[in-house]
Amino acid sequence: ENALTKSFLKPLDRRASKAVDFNIAISKAVRDDLLAQGVEENRIRIIPNGINITEFDREAEKKTELLAHLKSEGKYIIGSVG
């Protein structure tokens, strides 16, 4: 983890997770992480990832190269679904 993640992104994520009506977790591990962050269990729903990601993994090597390039320049990609 870098300083940006520790000082800004993780606290922002924790705050957002507690402020929303429901959190969708794609696995029990994600649910457990939310619980560890202090999110109430009744505000978490598990909906398993229903997408076969191997269908979309054709470009994985290119994505890995792009992410490494962006990271080397100190740039970040922040995404959210909601």
Side-chain angles (χ1 to χ4, degrees):
E1 289 183 20
N2 60 40
L4 177 66
T5 301
K6 286 181 182 177
S7 66
F8 180 71
L9 297 178
K10 281 209 172 200
L12 179 65
D13 186 48
R14 275 191 223 105
R15 209 169 173 175
S17 295
K18 291 178 183 178
V20 297
D21 293 330
F22 291 99
N23 291 271
I24 304 299
I26 62 167
S27 67
K28 289 180 182 178
V30 172
R31 182 206 63 184
D32 292 345
D33 187 53
L34 288 167
L35 290 170
Q37 292 178 34
V39 177
E40 298 170 19
E41 189 167 9
N42 65 343
R43 295 175 68 185
I44 302 171
R45 299 293 184 267
I46 298 176
I47 301 177
N49 191 351
I51 298 172
N52 181 357
I53 60 171
T54 59
E55 295 285 326
F56 301 94
D57 211 18
R58 296 179 205 127
E59 301 289 322
E61 188 173 315
K62 289 181 184 178
K63 291 176 192 172
T64 302
E65 291 172 10
L66 175 62
L67 291 173
H69 174 73
L70 291 172
K71 188 173 183 180
S72 72
E73 292 185 357
K75 297 178 180 176
Y76 300 91
I77 296 174
I78 300 173
S80 179
V81 177

